[in-house]
Amino acid sequence: MDVYPLQIPGLMVVGTDTGVGKSYISAAIARQLTSEGVRTGAYKPACSGSVIDESTGQPYWEDVELLRQAIGGTDLPPERICPQIFHAPLAPPVAAEKEGRSIDEALLLEGVRWWESQAEFLIVEGVGGVLCPLSSQQLIVDFAEKLKYPLLIVARAGLGTINHSLLTIEALQQRGLKIAGLILNDVDPELSDESRLSNAEQIQLWTSVPVLSFVPFDWQSNLLRYQSQDRIDWRQLSQDLL
């Protein structure tokens, strides 16, 4: 498989599933880096599932807008954040087919290249889980292999996350990919359960991949290292795995 030689460092944020808060975590990292004076880019190769803006009646893509605002790029064309967008909330190749379109394989990577002259650090957000189809020819994990960025896994905080997290870690390690760490994200307080108190410790018993943070629902602060209260140095974390 061809490797895409990026000229700037970065992280790729992947998930154990859809709806685990990849965009929320990606945006939080981008906001932190931007506040630290780092010229930060944000990129999502494809995004499906539009919503309607009640004030304008026009569709928009929440993930794309969240990332764009996080880097202070309100004047930035949204296609720089995500060059391929689709309306149906389905895997990108399926959503594209419903619109009589197909995923442009070359554009998935060409969109990354633009950021090399625009940013010092790039956050790339995946789609769905790591084995989610990105196109008819590749899964998210295949795209990650081409980028060769260290991977940050986002997982739900509650019941079932031990299995999902360890399966995701195993799938990535089998490909020889480098994993920067895992973040447990509390995506819905109504679904919270007692397992949230022990999941981080249990995951850590079964893998050397560090659990970096537990993010409570609707937490607006910077992401902190799990239990240590130290601010995470994302650039150093990425550099350590190169």
Side-chain angles (χ1 to χ4, degrees):
M1 178 177 292
D2 293 336
V3 176
Y4 194 69
L6 290 174
Q7 302 302 310
I8 57 172
L11 281 171
M12 182 169 179
V13 179
V14 297
T16 57
D17 195 3
T18 190
V20 296
K22 293 185 303 297
S23 296
Y24 180 83
I25 299 300
S26 297
I29 295 171
R31 283 196 302 271
Q32 177 183 327
L33 288 166
T34 300
S35 72
E36 294 170 350
V38 180
R39 287 191 302 124
T40 305
Y43 183 74
K44 188 178 178 85
C47 184
S48 51
S50 63
V51 294
I52 300 298
D53 186 327
E54 295 181 358
S55 64
T56 65
Q58 297 299 310
Y60 71 101
W61 286 258
E62 291 179 309
D63 292 357
V64 179
E65 288 306 309
L66 189 61
L67 292 173
R68 187 162 69 146
Q69 292 174 18
I71 61 173
T74 52
D75 295 330
L76 190 69
E79 59 267 24
R80 292 302 185 186
I81 304 290
C82 183
Q84 301 188 68
I85 51 177
F86 308 98
H87 293 287
L90 301 167
V94 182
E97 186 176 0
K98 284 181 68 68
E99 297 179 22
R101 303 163 59 192
S102 61
I103 299 292
D104 184 333
E105 297 283 346
L107 186 56
L108 294 173
L109 290 171
E110 288 172 3
V112 181
R113 176 68 78 183
W114 181 83
W115 282 105
E116 293 180 318
S117 62
Q118 304 295 319
E120 299 171 286
F121 195 90
L122 181 62
I123 303 296
V124 177
E125 183 197 339
V127 177
V130 298
L131 298 185
C132 175
L134 178 58
S135 71
S136 60
Q137 300 181 39
Q138 59 181 315
L139 306 172
I140 285 295
V141 69
D142 298 318
F143 185 74
E145 269 192 293
K146 292 178 179 180
L147 289 186
K148 290 297 183 184
Y149 268 173
L151 302 175
L152 177 68
I153 302 170
V154 178
R156 287 188 183 87
L159 194 64
T161 200
I162 298 173
N163 178 61
H164 294 160
S165 297
L166 295 178
L167 283 173
T168 299
I169 289 169
E170 184 172 317
L172 296 174
Q173 289 179 334
Q174 285 181 346
R175 298 285 190 113
L177 296 174
K178 297 176 180 179
I179 305 174
L182 181 140
I183 287 179
L184 293 173
N185 186 36
D186 198 359
V187 296
D188 188 340
E190 295 183 2
L191 298 178
S192 298
D193 56 73
E194 187 178 348
S195 74
R196 294 180 308 138
L197 303 177
S198 58
N199 282 335
E201 180 181 358
Q202 286 297 311
I203 291 169
Q204 204 66 92
L205 287 175
W206 294 98
T207 180
S208 60
V209 172
V211 178
L212 296 175
S213 182
F214 170 83
V215 182
F217 181 77
D218 205 26
W219 190 34
Q220 298 299 318
S221 182
N222 290 317
L223 302 178
L224 305 175
R225 285 195 187 279
Y226 179 65
Q227 293 183 334
S228 74
Q229 301 301 296
D230 292 329
R231 192 183 184 104
I232 298 175
D233 186 336
W234 297 106
R235 290 195 293 176
Q236 187 62 53
L237 189 67
S238 173
Q239 184 65 36
D240 289 345
L241 291 173
L242 294 179

